[in-house]
Amino acid sequence: MSAETATIALPDTADSARANAATRRMEKISSTVRYTILIVVGFIMVYPLLWLIGASFKSNQEIFTNPSFIPFEPTLDGYVEGWKTSTPYNFGQFYWNTFLIVLPKVIGTAISATLVAYGFARFEFPFKRLLFATLIATLLLPNVVTRIPQYLVFRDLGWLDSYLPLWVPSALAGDAFFVFMLIQFLRAIPRDMEEAARIDGANTLQTLIFIVIPMLSPAIVSVCLFQFMWTMNDFLGPLIYISSVAKYPISLALQLSIDATEAFSWNKILAMTVISLAPSLVVFFLAQKHFIRGVATGGTKG
Amino acid sequence: MASLDLVNLEKTYGNGFKAVHGINLSIRDGEFMAFVGPSGCAKSTTLRMIAGLETVTSGEIRIGDRVVNNIVPGERGIAMVFQNYALYPHMKVFNNLAFGLKLARRKKPEIEGGVAATAKLLEIEQLLERLPKQLSGGQAQRVAVGRAIIKKPQVFLFDEPLSNLDAKLRASMRVRLIELHRALKDDGLSSTVAYVTHDQTEAMTMGDRICVMKDGRIMQVDDPVTIYSRPANAFVGGFIGSPEMNIVPATLGGSADAPTLTIAGHTLRYGAALGARIAPGTGKAVQLGIRPQHLQPVGANGDGLPGRVAHVEYMGHEVYLHVAVGGLNLVSVVPGEAFDRSKLRDDRIWLRPAEDLLHLFDSETGQTISLGRA
């Protein structure tokens, strides 16, 4: 009996082994193809950045003669000269200026967006629907539409050529996107913990600080990171409101070096571009884990 | 030490839905009151109003002799255990327990002493440094109970606290909670409990009294024995007890000395004992309520309802017989060892509702018309 089953089973086993081997081979080929395509496309995407970093170590002349991104004669001239800039201020000044905008903006956004989102997500108040609809409407409104009226308001307030127009609106929860993002995140967190805190004797503000904010922290980190990177990269805002060179942030300073010289020293510009990219890259990679968690986990509880 | 009184308590939601229709209930100091009912019967809403998490539309909630309608949850002298535990996920067990005391600005030694005592009582001392996500369901449940006990509240509120546990753990937690309640009582601590559950077993085994609710109204409030043996209406009769009570239309006839019940065209004769239990002035159309345990097979000549066994559920110690009688489907529970289907001829069987254990309900209102047996 057992011999019989064995003879019957044998061809089956051989067949299935062959089928398994074929499947494995197909999987190998398919993954090789997939990874090759991804690597090639990925390289094409990253190439400009690699070239930028390589070129920042080249001399001005070599940039135009050497198509490869690896410099023949690496030099730090671009960095040294670029840092001095063509203005009375060095690049450190512009860095500091950027910091003066970014810091209050990020902190202000985190606090105000959290407060407003908490209100919308957890409380009933008159005209809530109307106000929420307004919030969403501003989210859909193109920024350029409000530029001119905003400019007029800030001019009348006497805020031109200061950093106030750049960060005060955000610190008053003016960025609907962040408020909306936090509301969605909060909606996914069950209310039971907050109710337990109320029964434990916490008032509304204590509940927010001790219970809600810790649970909301991945989303708040994401908000801070987004705001940080967008502010670092913002060109139009400073261009409109900042007029004196002494107050220029990095984004304007880069443009300045293009305008100010007749023969462009590209190596300086590229070197300073690399320097201005650095903070965003460093912050992003340091906080990558939180960032992705905050963006991706809107649906699951914290 | 506090009683809990609900006076004409009503709740209407913003969308006009009336969830609670004037509840009057008095829970005595130290009493374990179990609220039970099908989902949507507003038992949780009632509990949340007591906790202060829902506003009261009208009526009064009194804890002790204080009306608490407009007092914030933290100052009502209550503690609540939630169905999904609601532990603070970012705090270790120690801080979960201590949070309420910290908010009350108690001194550090007092907080530490309180946490230690509570942890000892609930045997969670070794868990104090863990985060909630590192706890099993039963452990998390004990921490949640600890968070309530540590506050020494006047009234404990439980909102389906065992629903998320598996059957075995639920049974052991049930016993633990009862023991805990007794221990608190023996220590002279306040131990008034309002316990919401949809599980009749929990209600029957844990409650000093049971409050059966339906559609925002109280159907009956009584001790478990009375609730089971003398249901005030067909709803309570059907809701409490397993398998469910058979409730079928019947016609009352005969005289007070020799009443008859006609069910699905078959007339059963009873004696004066049943006649004495029937409220005077009762009409002819009624509903018969008979628990499967009280509907037993009798011989062919035993004045029973003739039926056919349609389906048999073998449970081991007992057997559930689903019997078709006319157009009705009745369930009878018989001892497992005494039943042998192969001995029935053509699956034919005769069932007779026990005279002193059957219930009669008004066919319109569903209220009981059979007075309790002596």
Side-chain angles (χ1 to χ4, degrees):
Chain A
M1 186 69 195
S2 63
E4 208 176 294
T5 47
T7 49
I8 294 167
L10 260 176
D12 275 349
T13 327
D15 266 357
S16 57
R18 217 173 301 136
N20 284 344
T23 314
R24 271 200 301 275
R25 205 163 41 241
M26 281 308 293
E27 272 173 8
K28 220 176 232 172
I29 292 170
S30 130
S31 62
T32 311
V33 171
R34 260 183 294 147
Y35 277 98
T36 312
I37 293 173
L38 286 174
I39 288 168
V40 169
V41 173
F43 183 75
I44 293 172
M45 306 276 243
V46 181
Y47 185 78
L49 192 65
L50 293 177
W51 186 86
L52 171 76
I53 293 167
S56 69
F57 291 102
K58 293 175 184 173
S59 66
N60 208 20
Q61 187 198 2
E62 194 189 335
I63 289 175
F64 294 99
T65 52
N66 173 14
S68 156
F69 60 83
I70 300 167
F72 287 140
E73 294 163 21
T75 164
L76 284 173
D77 278 0
Y79 287 90
V80 176
E81 294 299 313
W83 188 262
K84 289 178 189 157
T85 74
S86 53
T87 66
Y89 316 99
N90 68 20
F91 215 78
Q93 172 75 34
F94 301 131
Y95 243 109
W96 176 246
N97 291 343
T98 303
F99 179 74
L100 290 181
I101 301 170
V102 168
L103 192 72
K105 191 166 178 179
V106 167
I107 293 174
T109 304
I111 294 172
S112 64
T114 305
L115 281 171
V116 174
Y118 183 51
F120 271 119
R122 290 295 195 254
F123 297 95
E124 292 303 322
F125 47 87
F127 308 116
K128 179 176 163 179
R129 281 169 166 272
L130 182 74
L131 289 169
F132 189 69
T134 315
L135 180 89
I136 298 300
T138 57
L139 192 66
L140 301 174
L141 202 66
N143 271 335
V144 282
V145 181
T146 54
R147 285 286 182 199
I148 290 172
Q150 263 183 355
Y151 183 87
L152 296 178
V153 169
F154 292 133
R155 188 194 59 188
D156 292 348
L157 288 171
W159 284 4
L160 296 187
D161 201 22
S162 80
Y163 299 138
L164 295 175
L166 300 176
W167 67 264
V168 169
S170 293
L172 297 174
D175 295 311
F177 173 75
F178 295 131
V179 175
F180 182 67
M181 182 174 146
L182 290 179
I183 290 175
Q184 292 306 102
F185 199 92
L186 256 176
R187 280 181 177 162
I189 299 178
R191 291 174 186 222
D192 298 27
M193 275 77 85
E194 290 152 61
E195 290 178 343
R198 279 173 64 195
I199 287 175
D200 267 348
N203 61 32
T204 308
L205 196 65
Q206 286 169 324
T207 308
L208 176 69
I209 294 169
F210 296 124
I211 307 298
V212 177
I213 289 179
M215 291 195 294
L216 201 56
S217 58
I220 296 176
V221 169
S222 300
V223 165
C224 292
L225 280 174
F226 270 125
Q227 188 65 290
F228 175 83
M229 291 204 271
W230 290 351
T231 308
M232 286 291 293
N233 294 338
D234 184 24
F235 176 75
L236 198 58
L239 182 70
I240 292 172
Y241 294 109
I242 307 295
S243 46
S244 44
V245 176
K247 294 179 180 172
Y248 272 18
I250 295 173
S251 52
L252 283 188
L254 278 177
Q255 178 250 4
L256 194 71
S257 51
I258 295 180
D259 280 350
T261 47
E262 289 172 7
F264 297 164
S265 7
W266 283 109
N267 61 339
K268 286 201 259 172
I269 296 170
L270 295 179
M272 287 309 101
T273 308
V274 171
I275 285 193
S276 40
L277 279 177
S280 292
L281 284 178
V282 169
V283 168
F284 178 78
F285 284 118
L286 283 180
Q288 198 181 18
K289 205 176 73 186
H290 296 281
F291 187 68
I292 289 167
R293 192 152 59 112
V295 177
T297 59
T300 55
K301 62 174 178 175
Chain B
M1 290 285 140
S3 57
L4 172 63
D5 295 283
L6 310 180
V7 185
N8 291 325
L9 194 63
E10 290 193 359
K11 172 73 187 180
T12 308
Y13 282 104
N15 59 11
F17 175 70
K18 193 166 185 183
V20 179
H21 299 260
I23 282 183
N24 285 290
L25 181 66
S26 194
I27 304 177
R28 295 185 280 265
D29 179 36
E31 186 175 30
F32 196 121
M33 176 68 83
F35 290 80
V36 68
S39 46
C41 73
K43 53 191 189 298
S44 279
T45 306
T46 307
L47 195 77
R48 290 169 58 82
M49 281 197 282
I50 299 171
L53 298 173
E54 297 275 358
T55 54
V56 173
T57 308
S58 74
E60 258 180 24
I61 299 172
R62 277 203 293 266
I63 294 175
D65 39 20
R66 197 164 63 127
V67 176
V68 296
N69 285 31
N70 297 316
I71 296 179
V72 295
E75 286 164 21
R76 288 189 179 199
I78 49 126
M80 185 158 167
V81 178
F82 293 80
Q83 181 177 352
N84 61 5
Y85 323 132
L87 299 179
Y88 311 125
H90 54 285
M91 293 184 194
K92 289 184 175 162
V93 168
F94 181 95
N95 287 326
N96 261 286
L97 293 174
F99 186 65
L101 300 182
K102 281 182 183 167
L103 286 177
R105 297 182 186 281
R106 301 286 175 75
K107 297 250 160 42
K108 207 175 169 198
E110 190 188 342
I111 292 175
E112 281 170 358
V115 171
T118 307
K120 185 154 183 276
L121 184 66
L122 291 164
E123 295 166 31
I124 49 174
E125 294 128 307
Q126 72 286 4
L127 306 176
L128 290 177
E129 288 305 309
R130 290 205 201 164
L131 284 169
K133 65 181 173 198
Q134 297 164 318
L135 301 177
S136 70
Q139 291 170 333
Q141 187 57 64
R142 275 183 281 160
V143 175
V145 172
R147 193 171 62 181
I149 288 177
I150 198 168
K151 292 168 64 187
K152 299 196 171 73
Q154 293 181 299
V155 178
F156 287 93
L157 307 174
F158 289 88
D159 190 5
E160 309 215 8
L162 306 184
S163 302
N164 284 9
L165 301 176
D166 62 62
K168 213 171 166 184
L169 204 52
R170 203 180 307 156
S172 71
M173 276 304 284
R174 220 159 57 201
V175 176
R176 266 190 113 100
L177 283 179
I178 299 168
E179 285 172 355
L180 198 61
H181 180 239
R182 197 173 303 138
L184 288 176
K185 221 169 170 176
D186 292 346
D187 288 350
L189 290 168
S190 188
S191 52
T192 310
V193 174
Y195 185 104
V196 164
T197 176
H198 64 264
D199 179 352
Q200 50 159 309
T201 317
E202 275 174 35
M204 292 293 280
T205 54
M206 300 175 82
D208 291 328
R209 281 196 298 162
I210 298 174
C211 171
V212 183
M213 291 180 72
K214 182 196 172 198
D215 297 338
R217 291 186 172 85
I218 291 180
M219 294 282 112
Q220 188 172 4
V221 184
D222 257 314
D223 61 276
V225 174
T226 310
I227 288 267
Y228 184 79
S229 60
R230 294 168 63 178
N233 48 55
F235 176 80
V236 174
F239 190 79
I240 301 286
S242 173
E244 207 174 299
M245 179 188 271
N246 299 290
I247 297 174
V248 293
T251 312
L252 198 57
S255 62
D257 290 338
T260 60
L261 274 174
T262 307
I263 301 141
H266 302 280
T267 302
L268 304 179
R269 290 181 300 277
Y270 286 98
L274 178 63
R277 281 172 56 206
I278 298 169
T282 300
K284 284 190 179 315
V286 295
Q287 281 185 303
L288 166 71
I290 183 71
R291 297 200 184 278
Q293 291 84 351
H294 305 150
L295 182 66
Q296 290 298 319
V298 290
N301 306 321
D303 195 16
L305 300 166
R308 244 171 234 281
V309 176
H311 179 58
V312 173
E313 286 178 294
Y314 182 72
M315 308 298 286
H317 66 298
E318 55 189 20
V319 177
Y320 297 178
L321 304 178
H322 295 254
V323 181
V325 176
L328 304 172
N329 185 22
L330 299 177
V331 180
S332 166
V333 174
V334 296
E337 57 277 10
F339 179 73
D340 184 357
R341 189 173 184 175
S342 63
K343 285 193 181 149
L344 300 177
R345 189 178 298 163
D346 295 340
D347 279 344
R348 285 164 70 84
I349 196 167
W350 287 264
L351 298 171
R352 183 175 169 84
E355 178 165 9
D356 54 344
L357 296 169
L358 63 81
H359 304 272
L360 294 175
F361 302 107
D362 188 294
S363 60
E364 304 262 307
T365 63
Q367 295 303 310
T368 184
I369 49 181
S370 54
L371 309 173
R373 70 198 146 100

